[in-house]
C-alpha cells in the first residue's frame, strides 16, 4: 500500500474518476461491434509563421508547444460536439530518471491527459488548466498503461479504446544523422496503415540551424471503420483554423472559437437553410375555394371520428355565408363567434370570411361581464352561438343560434355555391381582445398577412 506504484495508481484513480466512457466524435459511420485495425492518414503541416506564434504563446503562459496543441485539439473536439471533458492519450519516453539515460531499452508509456473545458474558459485559462494537469500526469507516469486499465477497470468494449479514443504524439527532439562504421544509413518513414485509436495526431517540430521555428509536420490517422478521408482533411483544416484563432487572441473564450470555413458557414446558414417556398397568392377564401374545387373528396376536417370533405365543408360555409349576408353581415362588419372548438366553428369562420366580414372569437367560459363588455365595445352585426348561451348577451344584440332547428332548416334551402363576395385584402379578417390585465380588455384589428 505504501509503494510508489500504489501511490501513483491512487492518483490516477482520482484524476480519471468519471472520465467519459467514449467521446462523441464526429464520425461518418456508427461504431462497429468490434473495432478493426484498418486506418488511413492525411498529412498535417503547420507553417513556420504559425509555429513561431505557437512557441510565443507557450512561453507567455509558461507552457510547452505540446500543451498548446493539446488544448487546441480539445477546443476543436469540443466545438465539434465532444463535450467539455476531453481525455487525450499521449506517449511519453519514460526516461525521467538520469540512471536510464545510458540504458538500452523501450521505456515508452502512455498517459491519459484530461482536458477540462467546463465553464467556457478563455484559451489562456484553458492553457493554465492543461499545464497543471499535464505536470501532475508527468509526475505519475510510471504506472504501465495496461496496469492502469486493469486497476481502474473501466467499461470494456470491443468497439473502442479504453479511457481515451484520441491520441496526440509530439516529437520535439532535434533530427539526428545516423552514423555507423562502414555503413551508409538514412531514415525512411514506414507506410503503415493501421489505426490503434479512433483518431491519432502525430506531429514533430522542425527548427533551423539558429534554433528558429521552421514548422510542425505530421499526420492525422483515422480508423476507416468510422471516418472518411474527406472528413479527416476537414478536421486538419479546422485544427489549423483553431490554432490561428487562439494565437491571434488567446483571451477569447473557447465557445467563440470558429471552426468553420466561409464555405462551410455559407453552406450551413444559406444553402441548407434555403427554405424559401413560393406561396400562392389570394385571400384565404379564394385559396380555400380553389382547394375545394381541386380536391372535393379529400378530407378537410377530422373531429371525434367524423370526417368532413372539402366539398362538404365548402357547401356548409357557403350556405351559412348567404344567411349572414341576409342578416346584414358584409365588408366592414364584425361577426362574433361564441362557439366551442368543433367543425361548426371552422364552418362559421369560413362563412364570415366568405361574407366579407371580420370575425370576433369569444370564449363563453369568460366571465359574463367581460363578454358583454367585448360585445358592447366591438358592436358586432351578429353573434353566432348556441341556444344555451342566450342569457349571456343581454338585450339588443342580434344573435343567430346555429342549433335552432328552424334556422338549420332555412339554411339548408340556401344556394350552396360560393356567394362571390370578394373581400378586400386590406380589410382585417378578425378582431381580438387581450386578457385585460390592466383592468379593461383592449381590442385590436389583426391585419391580413403580407
Amino acid at each position: 500500500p505504501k509503494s510508489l506504484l500504489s501511490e501513483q495508481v491512487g492518483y490516477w484513480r482520482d484524476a480519471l474518476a468519471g472520465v467519459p466512457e467514449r467521446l462523441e466524435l464526429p464520425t461518418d459511420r456508427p461504431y462497429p461491434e468490434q473495432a478493426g485495425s484498418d486506418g488511413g492518414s492525411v498529412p498535417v503541416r503547420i507553417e513556420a509563421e504559425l509555429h513561431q506564434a505557437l512557441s510565443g504563446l507557450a512561453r507567455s503562459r509558461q507552457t510547452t508547444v505540446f500543451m498548446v496543441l493539446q488544448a487546441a485539439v480539445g477546443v476543436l473536439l469540443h466545438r465539434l460536439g465532444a463535450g467539455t471533458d476531453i481525455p487525450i492519450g499521449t506517449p511519453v519516453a519514460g526516461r525521467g530518471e538520469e540512471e536510464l539515460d545510458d540504458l538500452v531499452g523501450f521505456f515508452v508509456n502512455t498517459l491519459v491527459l484530461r482536458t477540462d473545458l467546463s465553464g467556457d474558459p478563455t484559451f489562456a485559462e484553458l492553457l493554465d488548466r492543461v499545464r497543471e494537469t499535464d505536470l501532475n500526469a508527468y509526475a505519475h507516469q510510471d504506472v504501465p498503461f495496461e496496469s492502469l486499465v486493469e486497476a481502474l477497470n473501466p467499461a470494456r468494449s470491443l468497439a473502442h479504446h479504453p479511457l481515451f479514443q484520441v491520441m496526440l504524439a509530439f516529437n520535439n527532439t532535434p533530427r539526428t544523422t545516423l552514423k555507423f562504421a562502414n555503413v551508409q544509413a538514412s531514415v525512411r518513414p514506414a507506410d503503415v496503415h493501421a489505426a490503434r485509436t479512433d483518431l491519432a495526431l502525430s506531429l514533430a517540430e522542425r527548427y533551423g540551424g539558429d534554433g528558429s521555428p521552421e514548422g510542425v509536420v505530421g499526420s492525422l490517422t483515422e480508423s476507416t471503420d468510422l471516418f472518411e478521408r474527406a472528413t479527416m482533411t476537414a478536421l486538419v483544416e479546422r485544427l489549423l483554423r483553431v490554432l490561428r484563432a487562439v494565437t491571434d487572441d488567446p483571451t477569447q473564450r473557447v465557445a467563440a472559437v470558429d471552426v468553420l470555413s466561409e464555405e462551410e458557414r455559407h453552406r450551413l446558414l444559406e444553402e441548407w437553410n434555403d427554405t424559401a417556398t413560393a406561396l400562392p397568392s389570394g385571400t384565404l377564401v379564394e385559396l380555400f375555394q380553389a382547394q375545394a374545387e381541386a380536391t372535393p373528396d379529400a378530407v378537410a376536417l377530422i373531429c371525434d371520428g367524423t370526417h368532413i370533405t372539402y366539398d362538404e365543408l365548402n357547401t356548409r360555409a357557403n350556405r351559412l355565408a348567404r344567411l349572414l349576408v341576409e342578416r346584414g353581415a358584409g365588408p366592414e362588419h364584425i361577426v362574433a363567434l361564441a362557439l366551442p372548438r368543433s367543425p361548426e366553428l371552422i364552418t362559421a369562420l369560413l362563412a364570415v370570411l366568405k361574407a366579407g366580414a371580420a370575425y370576433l372569437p369569444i370564449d363563453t367560459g369568460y366571465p359574463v361581464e367581460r363578454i358583454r363588455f367585448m360585445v358592447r365595445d366591438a358592436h358586432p352585426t351578429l353573434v353566432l352561438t348556441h341556444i344555451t348561451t342566450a342569457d349571456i348577451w343581454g338585450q339588443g344584440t342580434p344573435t343567430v343560434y346555429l342549433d335552432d332547428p328552424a334556422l338549420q332548416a332555412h339554411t339548408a334551402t340556401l344556394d350552396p355555391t360560393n356567394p362571390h363576395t370578394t373581400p378586400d385584402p386590406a380589410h382585417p379578417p378578425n378582431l381580438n381582445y387581450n386578457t385585460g390585465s390592466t383592468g379593461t380588455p383592449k381590442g385590436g384589428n389583426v391585419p391580413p398577412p403580407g
Side-chain angles (χ1 to χ4, degrees), residues 35-54:
S37 60
D38 291 342
S41 64
V42 293
V44 179
R45 183 172 184 83
I46 299 174
E47 300 297 336
E49 183 178 357
L50 181 54
H51 184 196
Q52 187 172 1
L54 293 172

Side-chain angles (χ1 to χ4, degrees), residues 309-332:
T309 67
Y310 274 97
D311 182 62
E312 293 169 336
L313 178 59
N314 194 41
T315 297
R316 296 180 188 183
N318 287 340
R319 282 175 168 157
L320 182 55
R322 292 184 181 276
L323 175 71
L324 297 181
V325 172
E326 283 184 0
R327 300 294 178 93
E332 299 294 333

Side-chain angles (χ1 to χ4, degrees), residues 54-214:
L54 293 172
S55 299
L57 176 58
R59 286 193 302 271
S60 69
R61 303 303 301 183
Q62 297 182 325
T63 60
T64 63
V65 173
F66 168 80
M67 294 176 184
V68 176
L69 291 170
Q70 176 196 334
V73 170
V75 170
L76 174 63
L77 296 179
H78 166 66
R79 297 289 285 133
L80 294 177
T84 59
D85 189 356
I86 312 292
I88 297 175
T90 190
V92 289
R95 292 181 177 269
E97 303 296 332
E98 292 183 3
E99 292 82 359
L100 302 177
D101 288 351
D102 297 326
L103 187 63
V104 175
F106 188 77
F107 294 92
V108 172
N109 193 19
T110 301
L111 301 183
V112 184
L113 306 178
R114 203 168 181 177
T115 312
D116 177 17
L117 294 101
S118 61
D120 192 20
T122 66
F123 190 77
E125 292 169 342
L126 177 61
L127 272 181
D128 294 340
R129 297 181 186 181
V130 167
R131 180 184 64 240
E132 182 178 1
T133 298
D134 288 7
L135 292 179
N136 287 331
Y138 297 151
H140 299 83
Q141 63 175 288
D142 301 302
V143 183
F145 180 75
E146 59 271 18
S147 300
L148 180 63
V149 172
E150 183 178 348
L152 299 185
N153 194 27
R156 304 298 180 88
S157 172
L158 296 176
H160 59 80
H161 195 276
L163 298 181
F164 65 88
Q165 292 79 51
V166 178
M167 197 159 193
L168 174 60
F170 190 68
N171 183 5
N172 59 358
T173 58
R175 287 178 290 182
T176 58
T177 302
L178 297 176
K179 293 182 179 180
F180 300 100
N182 302 319
V183 174
Q184 291 183 348
S186 61
V187 176
R188 290 288 184 272
D191 190 17
V192 179
H193 296 286
R196 297 176 179 84
T197 57
D198 298 346
L199 292 174
L201 182 61
S202 179
L203 300 173
E205 285 186 297
R206 296 288 182 259
Y207 287 93
D210 59 354
S212 60
E214 287 192 342

Side-chain angles (χ1 to χ4, degrees), residues 153-417:
N153 194 27
R156 304 298 180 88
S157 172
L158 296 176
H160 59 80
H161 195 276
L163 298 181
F164 65 88
Q165 292 79 51
V166 178
M167 197 159 193
L168 174 60
F170 190 68
N171 183 5
N172 59 358
T173 58
R175 287 178 290 182
T176 58
T177 302
L178 297 176
K179 293 182 179 180
F180 300 100
N182 302 319
V183 174
Q184 291 183 348
S186 61
V187 176
R188 290 288 184 272
D191 190 17
V192 179
H193 296 286
R196 297 176 179 84
T197 57
D198 298 346
L199 292 174
L201 182 61
S202 179
L203 300 173
E205 285 186 297
R206 296 288 182 259
Y207 287 93
D210 59 354
S212 60
E214 287 192 342
V216 180
V217 296
S219 62
L220 177 62
T221 300
E222 82 282 1
S223 168
T224 54
D225 287 341
L226 303 174
F227 297 98
E228 298 286 351
R229 183 178 178 85
T231 302
M232 292 301 95
T233 301
L235 276 179
V236 171
E237 294 172 352
R238 289 169 181 164
L239 176 60
L240 295 177
R241 201 170 293 123
V242 169
L243 292 174
R244 295 187 190 101
V246 298
T247 52
D248 287 342
D249 181 14
T251 64
Q252 65 178 308
R253 298 196 175 276
V254 296
V257 177
D258 197 354
V259 299
L260 298 178
S261 66
E262 290 300 322
E263 180 181 352
E264 290 172 324
R265 180 174 296 280
H266 182 270
R267 187 182 309 123
L268 287 172
L269 299 181
E270 303 294 337
E271 294 179 15
W272 290 355
N273 280 285
D274 185 11
T275 57
T277 302
L279 298 177
S281 61
T283 64
L284 174 60
V285 170
E286 293 168 340
L287 295 175
F288 180 82
Q289 182 69 31
Q291 187 66 41
E293 293 172 357
T295 58
D297 297 326
V299 175
L301 283 179
I302 299 176
C303 182
D304 296 332
T306 300
H307 293 64
I308 301 175
T309 67
Y310 274 97
D311 182 62
E312 293 169 336
L313 178 59
N314 194 41
T315 297
R316 296 180 188 183
N318 287 340
R319 282 175 168 157
L320 182 55
R322 292 184 181 276
L323 175 71
L324 297 181
V325 172
E326 283 184 0
R327 300 294 178 93
E332 299 294 333
H333 288 256
I334 295 172
V335 176
L337 304 179
L339 299 167
R341 291 172 180 254
S342 61
E344 188 178 38
L345 173 60
I346 302 300
T347 302
L349 287 172
L350 281 170
V352 171
L353 296 176
K354 281 174 175 283
Y359 65 85
L360 167 64
I362 294 179
D363 186 343
T364 55
Y366 284 160
V368 173
E369 287 304 317
R370 173 182 168 87
I371 294 175
R372 289 179 177 175
F373 169 82
M374 293 166 62
V375 172
R376 289 194 306 268
D377 188 62
H379 300 293
T381 301
L382 296 170
V383 175
L384 304 188
T385 187
H386 289 156
I387 296 174
T388 53
T389 65
D391 58 339
I392 292 180
W393 313 108
Q395 300 297 322
T397 304
T399 305
V400 176
Y401 299 107
L402 296 181
D403 55 347
D404 181 357
L407 180 82
Q408 292 176 346
H410 172 65
T411 304
T413 65
L414 298 179
D415 187 348
T417 61

Side-chain angles (χ1 to χ4, degrees), residues 22-45:
R22 189 187 75 195
L23 279 180
E24 292 297 328
L25 298 174
T27 60
D28 295 304
R29 288 178 287 275
Y31 278 80
E33 293 184 3
Q34 181 172 346
S37 60
D38 291 342
S41 64
V42 293
V44 179
R45 183 172 184 83

